[in-house]
Amino acid sequence: MTEEGIDLQADVLIIGGGMAACWAAIAAAQAGADVLLVDKGFVGTSGVTATGGPNHWWVAPEPGKREAAVEERHARSFGLAERHWMARIIEESWIALPTLARYYPFGGDGRGGTFYPGVRGPEYMRALRRYATDAGVRILDHHPALELLVHDDGSVAGAAGHGRLTGQSWRARAGAVIMATGGCAFRSGLIGSHGNTGDGLLMAAEAGAALSGMEFSVSYSLSPAWNSTRTLPYFAARFFDQDGRELDIPPPIGGEGAHLRALASAMLAGPVIADLSDAPDGLKPILRRIQPASPTPFERRGLDIFRDRFEIKLFGEGTVRGTGGLQVVDAHCQTSLSGLYAAGDSATRELVAGATSGGGAQNAAWALTSGRIAGAAAAARAKRDGRRLGAAARAVGQAGLRPAASPRPVDLKAVLPVVQHATIGYDDALWRSAPKLARARDALDGAWRLLADHDQGVGLDRGGLREHAAMIAAARWVTAAAHRRDESRGMHMRADRPATDAALASRLLTGGTDKVWTRFETPALQEAAA
Amino acid sequence: MIAHIFEDRCTACQACVSACPTHVLDAGPDGAPRIARLDQCQTCFLCELHCEADAIYVGPDQRQPEAISPEAILASGHLGRLRHDHGWDREPEPGSTGHLHDFWQLGPLLREGAEIAARRYSERQASDRA
């Protein structure tokens, strides 16, 4: 390396800059740790929370109420969620959100009280940034991590990356590392997700971490074809084909699979047009005050959102609204790697949502809670074991950084269609089958070999290259898990196995980079398959 | 995608360069930032929100750049509108519950929309059977 680099250190290193990363940073700093947070983008605008409006699961601690809420959602988790985790995210959200009042302008609840559970993305992330900064967190924006550093004993020692505004490489050592880089939306165009390319999943898997629930990654968000927006205005939409014939689309809530499959079928046949004139009358005059960015793409095209008809598209959400992510092995959000914790969408959300998305409420409560838990646990570990700066640490990134064979440039533009076809292509994702998954596996293995064997980024290019490597890797885990789970369960819908198999009520792990593996978490299932 | 930076309004603070989560902009050495990597623009409008001078305009199409003249942008009245709607250009009115006064209605209105769709669907199914 001839370029200039900087050496950093901290008790706790946090990789990522969305809501989970910020809650983790705040919790770690409040526990007394010296905290360094590195984000690929800007803490405040990075990730899908910044453009969204997360609603946190919110149930008052009244007798029986939380237990009932947990039971109701647990029954919808297809047997893969855990009640104690669900109770925990309700309690943590209830405690944490009001502490944001110094930084976030909470409004009223319409009944004279304060409305805490739902927050608007840009204001929420602005508040979390200020909260973290005041708590003493050092934030480095535009400092993407490219790879993890690992001790000889296999535990995680830090990370290395690139400052994209400074042009400097960086290397950070820490007593504990938290991965909070978000999910992977496979560059679908989903609002806020351009940077959500699964970078953290790849970095962790290269160091040997396991993932869980990657087959639960089939989710889409409806938007105008030209701009992915929030979905609030579309819930009462009517749909038409290009000849103006109304389409018979099942409603969006209560059977998401049927709704998505009906829309996707229509889109595979031709353009689908939406008409929002049936939207609640109460919404029309105040949409702008709730979600200012929702009417914006319409107005700037000269359209009236509630009067004019327009073409729509389904934007893939991958593991962002899907549940898959790094396996969590203990009550402290530790991954299967010692010293590496996971928070938010980079961690599996199966613990609270099982085989479903969990909707907005559980997702945000999970991001907040896993962040706070990981932050506190990482601080405790760093306090106990120190930063171990005397121990050797080696960088373990491979694809795109250290090619396995002779370096030569690879056409990245050819990679993305292969990845997207397998993960968010309507037919391949919503009607999965063994033959389709086998074809996807072969195509993705080819793309992976090409990139991992030959491509080597320099300077700024390394970021884009690693993003592509991460998307291929994530697509391979999704495909392998979907193939292995020989049934339908929740958002994992196999056209060739439409029934749910009671014997497969276990979380499914996957991982590996050059060679992808899968394994059911329940030991008995694993032995039965062996 | 980001369509235009009004150099006459830009204060060269470079806040948009920093705020852009996808590294679309490069700092201008002495003046307005440069749109350097438009292909990375996700049309999130967040640069507009972080521009206190209302000097940057994002076009509505995320699939490709659109040609729009600075005069047309100014005439549209949309420049700075989003920041205003968020309330980031002013303090809330005294005595009000703030710029997020109506935000609590998001959930109820979302559910109402879904109920409208469900009701319409079941009526349609019933009339098809009749």
Side-chain angles (χ1 to χ4, degrees):
Chain A
M1 286 274 179
T2 52
E3 62 187 307
E4 199 184 341
I6 51 171
D7 282 305
L8 304 159
Q9 55 161 287
D11 295 331
V12 174
L13 172 68
I14 292 161
I15 305 175
M19 65 171 286
C22 286
W23 281 113
I26 293 161
Q30 287 176 340
D34 172 41
V35 183
L36 175 65
L37 183 154
V38 291
D39 182 42
K40 173 156 75 174
F42 176 81
V43 178
T45 60
S46 268
V48 291
T49 296
T51 50
N55 186 48
H56 302 68
W57 202 3
W58 196 252
V59 188
E62 290 162 19
K65 228 174 147 182
R66 289 185 174 177
E67 291 78 358
V70 167
E71 281 312 311
E72 191 222 333
R73 299 258 180 151
H74 189 267
R76 288 193 265 144
S77 75
F78 292 86
L80 302 185
E82 294 182 17
R83 290 180 180 85
H84 69 98
W85 270 107
M86 300 172 83
R88 208 169 170 194
I89 68 172
I90 295 176
E91 172 65 7
E92 287 287 327
S93 299
W94 185 266
I95 291 169
L97 278 169
T99 69
L100 205 58
R102 266 184 70 195
Y103 306 98
Y104 182 90
F106 287 107
D109 64 359
R111 298 188 303 270
T114 302
F115 182 66
Y116 289 116
V119 285
R120 196 157 70 199
E123 286 80 6
Y124 188 33
M125 289 310 307
R126 180 179 62 175
L128 285 171
R129 183 186 181 99
R130 290 175 180 167
Y131 194 0
T133 303
D134 280 1
V137 175
R138 279 179 290 156
I139 294 175
L140 290 178
D141 301 302
H142 297 288
H143 276 65
L146 296 171
E147 57 184 325
L148 289 181
L149 308 177
V150 175
H151 294 120
D152 290 341
D153 64 8
S155 63
V156 173
H162 180 78
R164 59 186 190 183
L165 299 187
T166 63
Q168 278 187 321
S169 290
W170 58 267
R171 191 179 157 92
R173 293 286 298 268
V177 177
I178 299 173
M179 195 60 81
T181 50
C184 181
F186 303 105
R187 283 277 151 87
S188 66
L190 174 74
I191 185 68
S193 76
H194 187 85
N196 290 67
T197 43
D199 311 358
L201 308 185
L202 174 61
M203 285 187 267
E206 284 172 332
L211 298 110
S212 182
M214 292 300 282
E215 67 277 32
F216 305 124
S217 48
V218 183
S219 180
Y220 292 87
S221 130
L222 178 74
S223 276
W226 70 90
N227 191 312
S228 167
T229 68
R230 305 318 304 165
T231 55
L232 165 65
Y234 313 123
F235 275 80
R238 296 163 66 201
F239 302 100
F240 299 85
D241 68 13
Q242 59 185 329
D243 300 320
R245 278 188 298 262
E246 184 157 8
L247 300 167
D248 203 17
I249 307 291
I253 286 186
E256 286 85 348
H259 177 71
L260 289 174
R261 278 176 155 187
L263 279 173
S265 290
M267 286 175 192
L268 288 167
V272 174
I273 313 299
D275 179 323
L276 307 192
S277 56
D278 268 3
D281 288 335
L283 174 64
K284 294 173 183 174
I286 66 165
L287 174 62
R288 181 193 302 286
R289 298 210 294 275
I290 298 175
Q291 290 181 341
S294 287
T296 298
F298 292 88
E299 290 171 342
R300 293 186 185 190
R301 274 173 86 100
L303 296 175
D304 182 324
I305 181 172
F306 293 116
R307 199 190 60 214
D308 296 316
R309 292 183 179 183
F310 54 92
E311 189 182 346
I312 51 158
K313 185 180 149 177
L314 292 169
F315 289 81
E317 300 178 304
T319 72
V320 169
R321 200 176 289 268
T323 50
L326 292 166
Q327 184 197 12
V328 169
V329 301
D330 64 15
H332 306 291
C333 287
Q334 192 161 212
T335 68
S336 55
L337 284 180
S338 177
L340 183 70
Y341 300 79
D345 290 346
S346 3
T348 179
R349 212 188 310 112
E350 290 164 295
L351 300 170
V352 298
T356 63
S357 159
Q362 275 148 295
N363 296 358
W366 167 254
L368 176 154
T369 302
S370 55
R372 278 165 53 89
I373 289 172
R381 181 189 174 95
K383 190 176 273 182
R384 192 187 68 217
D385 296 348
R387 298 178 185 183
R388 296 181 64 188
L389 298 177
R394 69 196 159 83
V396 296
Q398 294 296 325
L401 297 172
R402 298 176 185 88
S406 57
R408 61 180 154 84
V410 172
D411 178 16
L412 293 182
K413 285 201 169 57
V415 165
L416 208 48
V418 174
V419 166
Q420 293 179 333
H421 187 80
T423 53
I424 57 174
Y426 299 153
D427 185 58
D428 269 44
L430 287 161
W431 290 272
R432 284 171 167 167
S433 72
K436 287 179 202 170
L437 290 162
R439 273 198 302 275
R441 175 196 61 210
D442 293 344
L444 289 163
D445 282 352
W448 176 259
R449 281 270 58 92
L450 199 61
L451 197 152
D453 285 351
H454 301 296
D455 219 338
Q456 185 173 31
V458 178
L460 191 58
D461 291 340
R462 287 182 297 176
L465 197 47
R466 289 289 279 171
E467 290 176 332
H468 281 78
M471 286 190 284
I472 304 173
R476 292 171 80 215
W477 296 318
V478 164
T479 302
H483 206 169
R484 179 71 186 271
R485 187 175 283 287
D486 206 18
E487 60 161 353
S488 288
R489 185 177 293 268
M491 64 168 73
H492 167 62
M493 295 175 280
R494 282 273 297 260
D496 56 346
R497 296 282 187 275
T500 299
D501 180 350
L504 297 182
S506 167
R507 292 189 285 265
L508 176 61
L509 308 179
T510 184
T513 50
D514 282 341
K515 193 168 166 35
V516 170
W517 55 267
T518 59
R519 163 165 72 79
F520 278 99
E521 195 177 53
T522 307
L525 269 176
Q526 190 50 34
E527 284 155 22
Chain B
M1 289 180 164
I2 298 175
H4 191 68
I5 296 173
F6 289 84
E7 296 197 10
D8 54 329
R9 290 178 168 226
C10 177
T11 60
C13 74
Q14 317 296 344
C16 57
V17 177
S18 182
C20 173
T22 59
H23 197 203
V24 173
L25 304 162
D26 275 343
D30 306 302
R34 198 169 57 84
I35 302 172
R37 286 164 295 273
L38 191 58
D39 59 313
Q40 294 178 189
C41 178
Q42 60 176 348
T43 313
C44 66
F45 301 103
L46 292 172
C47 54
E48 287 192 23
L49 209 49
H50 286 261
C51 176
E52 293 188 2
D54 293 331
I56 191 164
Y57 177 84
V58 179
D61 197 324
Q62 70 178 39
R63 301 167 301 185
Q64 68 249 327
E66 297 155 276
I68 177 163
S69 72
E71 296 75 25
I73 294 168
L74 290 172
S76 74
H78 293 143
L79 191 62
R81 179 70 202 259
L82 190 65
R83 199 169 68 90
H84 180 80
D85 287 345
H86 270 270
W88 286 26
D89 61 340
R90 64 197 184 284
E91 290 298 316
E93 282 171 33
S96 80
T97 50
H99 296 305
L100 286 147
H101 176 73
D102 294 307
F103 200 73
W104 67 273
Q105 298 192 61
L106 194 162
L109 287 168
L110 189 152
R111 279 188 293 278
E112 189 183 340
E115 282 158 15
I116 290 169
R119 201 159 52 235
R120 200 178 54 220
Y121 183 72
S122 60
E123 281 166 12
R124 199 178 154 119
Q125 300 293 100
S127 76
D128 283 354
R129 277 195 299 273

